[in-house]
Amino acid sequence: MTQDPHPDIEKVLISADDIDEMIARLAKQITEDYRDKDLLLVGVLKGAFVFMADLARGIDLPIEFDFMAVSSYGSATKSSGVVRIMKDLDYEITGRHVLLIEDIIDSGLTINYLLRYLEARQPASLEICSLFWKKGEQAVPMEVKYPGFEIPPVFIVGYGLDYAEKYRNLPYIGVLKPSAYGAEPPPE
Ligand code: IMP
Ligand code: MG
């Protein structure tokens, strides 16, 4: 089924089929690496909810789930580096194998803050799986064990990612038309 992209989308950067293929690859690798381990997936809300749902269904292991909700943006489109925890974990992670599931790493400030926050609770292991990362934008060196797509430093929406809370339900990754930003200047 082919559908025209949303009228606010200037161009589709990554198709739904390409996303599926990447997720299948990541899920296979995670399944192999955590074969004999008790794995807890920790999703970073809200952006990661679509990715996490698809990734988890590709992982052939008895995983458990938890979520954190963070806010690093306020109304702007650039990370401030100040991360507010809106929802903490429900479970203890001490001694557990934790895989943090992120939608996108831009400056890396959000994920870095979370890593330090979670490391203090002494998990058995702590790794990152992020579906997208913006090339050359990271303010700090990052080790992402399960990286998905490297994308150019442009603002993207869809597949969980929003602009002003919209477009998260688009099944592909797109770039918005300048008119979609309304009175605000386009990000980046
Ligand atoms: P960082 O702290 O700069 O790495 O930003 C990470 C967070 O910013 C992500 O979890 C997203 O919520 C948001 N973000 C960064 N880049 C984009 C983008 O291109 N589109 C939508 N949200 C983004
Ligand atoms: Mg956002």
Side-chain angles (χ1 to χ4, degrees):
M1 187 184 68
T2 15
Q3 252 182 321
D4 284 340
H6 189 288
D8 289 349
I9 293 296
E10 184 158 84
K11 95 171 169 194
V12 173
L13 204 63
I14 304 171
S15 70
D17 283 349
D18 288 349
I19 294 174
D20 280 355
E21 211 174 287
M22 175 62 81
I23 291 180
R25 206 173 326 149
L26 291 169
K28 185 164 177 273
Q29 189 63 49
I30 292 166
T31 302
E32 281 166 21
D33 292 356
Y34 289 90
R35 180 72 59 199
D36 300 309
K37 294 182 179 130
D38 147 51
L39 175 60
L40 178 70
L41 295 188
V42 172
V44 184
L45 295 173
K46 298 172 200 166
F49 82 104
V50 179
F51 172 41
M52 189 166 176
D54 284 342
L55 180 74
R57 281 177 290 180
I59 300 175
D60 189 16
L61 295 172
I63 45 181
E64 290 175 31
F65 297 85
D66 206 343
F67 295 93
M68 287 189 75
V70 299
S71 163
S72 57
Y73 265 45
S75 60
T77 44
K78 264 289 171 199
S79 205
S80 57
V82 180
V83 177
R84 250 199 316 162
I85 297 192
M86 318 296 283
K87 184 215 167 291
D88 206 337
L89 295 174
D90 291 336
Y91 304 117
E92 290 295 329
I93 56 164
T94 308
R96 301 203 62 183
H97 293 282
V98 175
L99 182 56
L100 254 182
I101 311 295
E102 250 289 28
D103 50 359
I104 185 164
I105 296 175
D106 183 7
S107 68
L109 293 170
T110 306
I111 202 80
N112 243 291
Y113 180 89
L114 285 176
L115 278 179
R116 277 182 287 124
Y117 185 80
L118 295 176
E119 252 159 23
R121 300 184 187 179
Q122 299 183 304
S125 68
L126 180 59
E127 301 291 353
I128 304 167
C129 177
S130 181
L131 187 54
F132 307 103
W133 56 283
K134 287 189 188 171
K135 190 176 164 56
E137 292 294 294
Q138 287 78 54
V140 275
M142 304 259 4
E143 209 192 299
V144 180
K145 185 148 183 203
Y146 304 100
F149 298 94
E150 174 185 307
I151 58 159
V154 291
F155 196 79
I156 58 170
V157 295
Y159 204 74
L161 291 156
D162 72 304
Y163 171 67
E165 294 301 328
K166 289 199 288 183
Y167 312 106
R168 292 191 197 272
N169 59 321
L170 299 180
Y172 48 81
I173 287 292
V175 178
L176 287 173
K177 289 177 184 164
S179 57
Y181 294 111
E184 270 187 63
E188 253 108 6

